[in-house]
Amino acid sequence: MESVLSALPWVPVNVGGCDLLAKAWFGDTQYRVLMSDLSSVWEEDMNADDIQSRAQELNKRLRAPAQAFFSHLCSVAQPCFSSQDDDQTTSALVSLERHGDNFTVRLKSELAGLPFYWEFRCTPMPVAMVCRQLVCPLLAVSRVLQRQAEDLAAMLVRKDAEIQDYQENGAVLSRARLQTEPFDVHRYRENFFTQTVPQMGVPLDSLGFEPELQALYVAVNSVKSAQKRKRSSDSSLAPDDISVPEHRGHQQTNDVHTGVGAPLASQEHNDVKKASRKTQEADTEQTVPLTTVAASGPEECYTSRPKKKKATGLFR
């Protein structure tokens, strides 16, 4: 479930008049909800049995299977944890309450003409989970953005070289207002830090998480998940890869010893029965070609290697 949850972005939401970052996953009859106000992070994980038990606890007049409760819960709860850009609305009344370190979101809606109540009883998330779901991905996003800025700066330098080449060959701008100075990455960075950033006035506790950043968050996590799956598959195949060469090497060694030992035995024991001599000769005929091939293999491979052709085309 955590890998599926990692593929979802954090979205800014307003729950009960409180601005939060939220991430929610709803399955068939289970869900997992994460919420943060940038000072704490809470979570709740519920399966089918938990949903059935809580639904009966909060709605004593209603009797229905867990699937029916969950289907209605999804319809009224998912819009609460969706991005404000999705234009999803809910008919439920939403309220929020904090008690101690815990965090409770209450929903009130209507099911089959009767009031339906639900509570998301969130508890503090473990620090390791916070790092995996929030801190580490955001650090990775910052590194990706830094790489993007470096690539753009390098592109501007190449564009300046291209413009300079045009000018040296007599090209002239038709409009003077399009004239620009050559790009200096160090001067630009210094001006950005000292002038642009103070003017932006971005607060450190801002919950703004733009759609572009959400898409980048998902892309970074998808790459990380793919690398993790690749490492796990490589580690599972490693024992088989190691055992195969050892088995083949052992078999070849036995074949070589057999091919050499058979002629020696036939020379030393001339008084052995005729049937045993035929058996030794048959073994010799089977094993000698293997040693012959092994001795002549490298030479044949060397002589059969095709000669390299000279490069032709634009670059000689």
Side-chain angles (χ1 to χ4, degrees):
M1 183 188 298
E2 185 172 348
S3 60
V4 178
L5 197 64
S6 297
L8 300 175
W10 290 88
V11 296
V13 298
N14 186 281
V15 178
C18 181
D19 292 328
L20 300 168
L21 283 178
K23 179 189 289 198
W25 174 80
F26 291 86
D28 294 332
T29 53
Q30 57 181 335
Y31 71 78
R32 190 166 187 178
V33 174
L34 311 181
M35 287 181 288
S36 175
D37 61 355
L38 298 187
S39 62
S40 301
V41 184
W42 302 272
E43 68 169 343
E44 185 179 45
D45 187 3
M46 297 282 282
N47 56 30
D49 294 336
D50 298 330
I51 292 172
Q52 179 73 26
S53 176
R54 184 172 298 177
Q56 293 296 332
E57 173 191 347
L58 299 175
N59 306 274
K60 300 184 182 302
R61 298 173 59 186
L62 291 175
R63 293 293 182 271
Q67 181 63 45
F69 286 130
F70 188 75
S71 177
H72 176 72
L73 178 62
C74 289
S75 65
V76 297
Q78 278 185 312
C80 297
F81 304 111
S82 300
S83 175
Q84 298 175 358
D85 298 331
D86 293 342
D87 295 330
Q88 297 186 25
T89 57
T90 179
S91 58
L93 298 177
V94 184
S95 61
L96 183 147
E97 180 182 348
R98 300 186 187 187
H99 38 89
D101 295 333
N102 298 332
F103 188 91
T104 302
V105 177
R106 292 188 172 89
L107 300 180
K108 179 182 179 181
S109 60
E110 187 174 301
L111 175 60
L114 295 174
F116 178 80
Y117 300 95
W118 188 260
E119 294 180 356
F120 292 95
R121 301 170 181 173
C122 302
T123 57
M125 184 186 296
V127 175
M129 186 69 174
V130 175
C131 293
R132 290 195 301 269
Q133 290 294 333
L134 185 60
V135 179
C136 293
L138 291 182
L139 289 175
V141 166
S142 67
R143 289 194 296 270
V144 171
L145 291 175
Q146 181 181 6
R147 172 62 183 274
Q148 184 183 39
E150 292 173 354
D151 291 345
L152 292 175
M155 186 182 299
L156 288 175
V157 172
R158 293 195 300 269
K159 288 292 183 182
D160 285 340
E162 181 180 354
I163 293 172
Q164 183 179 0
D165 183 73
Y166 290 150
Q167 292 174 345
E168 292 174 353
N169 287 275
V172 180
L173 280 174
S174 60
R175 290 179 292 246
R177 62 183 177 82
L178 297 178
Q179 181 72 36
T180 59
E181 295 293 331
F183 180 73
D184 185 348
V185 61
H186 300 291
R187 185 174 61 185
Y188 170 79
R189 185 180 292 115
E190 182 179 356
N191 292 336
F192 185 82
F193 290 158
T194 58
Q195 300 177 16
T196 306
V197 172
Q199 293 176 2
M200 292 175 62
V202 179
L204 296 178
D205 57 349
S206 174
L207 291 171
F209 206 48
E210 302 299 330
E212 291 81 6
L213 291 178
Q214 297 176 23
L216 184 57
Y217 175 95
V218 172
V220 168
N221 272 331
S222 63
V223 171
K224 183 179 179 181
S225 300
Q227 292 174 347
K228 186 181 297 184
R229 288 193 298 268
K230 183 178 179 180
R231 286 196 299 267
S232 61
S233 61
D234 292 343
S235 62
S236 62
L237 292 175
D240 295 335
D241 296 338
I242 296 173
S243 61
V244 170
E246 292 178 354
H247 177 70
R248 289 178 179 176
H250 180 69
Q251 184 177 1
Q252 292 177 358
T253 304
N254 291 339
D255 292 340
V256 171
H257 286 305
T258 305
V260 175
L264 293 176
S266 62
Q267 294 177 4
E268 294 176 359
H269 302 281
N270 294 326
D271 57 342
V272 181
K273 294 181 180 181
K274 184 177 182 179
S276 62
R277 286 202 304 272
K278 291 182 178 181
T279 302
Q280 293 175 357
E281 293 174 358
D283 294 339
T284 305
E285 292 177 357
Q286 293 177 356
T287 56
V288 168
L290 292 177
T291 59
T292 304
V293 172
S296 61
E299 183 178 359
E300 292 177 0
C301 294
Y302 177 79
T303 58
S304 62
R305 182 179 300 168
K307 296 182 179 180
K308 294 184 178 180
K309 296 182 180 180
K310 294 183 178 180
T312 60
L314 295 176
F315 305 97
R316 298 178 182 273

